[in-house]
Amino acid sequence: MRTLSNTVEGRPSTGHSLQPTTISYSNALAVCYRAHDLPTALRLFCTAQNDGTPLTLPLYASLIRIAHACHNSAVALRTLRQLQASRHRPTSSLYADVMDTCVTAGKYSRVLSLHRALLADRLSPTPLTRRALAQAFRRADRTCLTIMLRTPPPDRTSRLAALTACVRGLWWNAALQILRSTPSREVDVSMLHLAVAACANAARWDEARSFVGDLQEGRARAQGLGVLVGACRRADRADVAVDLLVKAYPHMGVEPDCRAYGDAIVACAIAQRHEAQGDLRLQDPPSARPPLYQGGLEWWECSLALLRRMREGGIQPDKFVYSSVISSCEAVGQWQRAVGLLTQAEEEGITPNVYCFNAAISSCQKGKAWLEALELYERMQFLQVHPNFITINSLIIALEEAGQQEMAEHVYEEAYKKGVVSHWKGRNKFKWRHAHTKPKQVFMDLHQYSVPMARIAVAIVLRSLLDSATESTNIVDDLVIIVGRGVGSVGGIPKLLPVVETNLRATYGLEGEVREENRGRIYVSAPQLKIFVDRHRWR
């Protein structure tokens, strides 16, 4: 490196005087870049300036890249200023290097200034400049963000970066300030999403609604209200969502679309489920509900009212809206209404999806209507709507509670053969093999199972063991039943563990072992299984 520096500075190391050229300096700076040697690069650059060598754009770019590699923001900024003062024009990649260096140095307000300069030079932002800008806003604290936003962000890229930072920091007022300083025609859905999300995270619903009402263009108001209703759904604020549909939309002269109604109905379904489970998550007291509730309506009734209002407005509901309304009815066991809605959807030419059927079957289970649940399951197969785990679980609970054990076992075995459910851990099917001599453990995974499903699964496994055994069978596999806490466990008390233990002991004469290191598993040893097979194989 010393030889290189002496050569380009005109101090010969071999007795010959050389006149450095621009190419010589470029090659020398390239070596400095690979070595991360910023002092030598600065000395070479100053020498080039002093001896009158033309400073080209590649020379400036090389020094900026070296400063970026060495995380020296002062040199990067000074070199960029010199480049701007010369007859050369900086490129977007150079701005990206300087901005990234400033982010590393914590000079976040300077990053926004560089972005403004980039736009002033009529350059287009690149992914690297956008990333640096986003990192600057994300890392800035409230004081720094206030300084950065004294002047409104100049373009969409900087606005999105600033709004994203406001969402993370719950700075709802700064988010609204950014949008108010943006021309109405330039406000798009992405900006509205971020601004409303900032208000929603800070529970500033009135301020968000006031801002949307101040928008001049009708399309922007419609988009803003739609975004606001969606935010209410994500925040579990059904009261605010319904209030927007009942009052804000007519007041602003905007017609709700299918998505707005769908978000509000989903919010009602979630609120009804929370209330049914005793987990009311509304931030306002129940008395602070909108006028639609003053007649004593429940959330499921509200979802039905919104569905009716939707039809009266000439908007055709889709299967997702129907699934949400049916789900709200399911939460309180209104199985007649749930089944009626499902039939109504089919009459309107809508093929219900698996979520519609799951909610309807679950409502029938809660209403002790096992015949209707079984009929829905058969209709589901006729329409070629594939059931899932929740479908089978709800149907089996309904059949088990009605004393239809044989039918419940038939439904489970059919679902098991089709691969809809599987009680084996890490595999869909399993066959007992007794030819090997090396002991191993066979795992059943029931931790997502309800009590009736777990009872049927254990019966099927032990029955398959009997069917595979002969007089000379040597059972060497331990059966490990993973129960966890089980579906429906409350307060950390396992629900499935004692039921499976009692069922093994009373029905099959098997004593399961629960070990302290993992109380979510029941171990049935191979000798016990051997005794069980010898005792019951003849049956």
Side-chain angles (χ1 to χ4, degrees), residues 389-411:
F389 180 89
I390 297 175
T391 313
I392 304 302
N393 185 51
S394 300
L395 181 58
I396 287 178
I397 293 176
L399 294 172
E400 184 83 9
E401 291 177 348
Q404 302 293 328
Q405 285 84 4
E406 291 184 5
M407 193 173 297
E409 289 186 14
H410 173 72
V411 170

Side-chain angles (χ1 to χ4, degrees), residues 71 196 214 238 314 317 344 377 538:
H71 308 295
V196 170
D214 292 339
Q344 183 177 344
Y377 180 66
W538 62 272

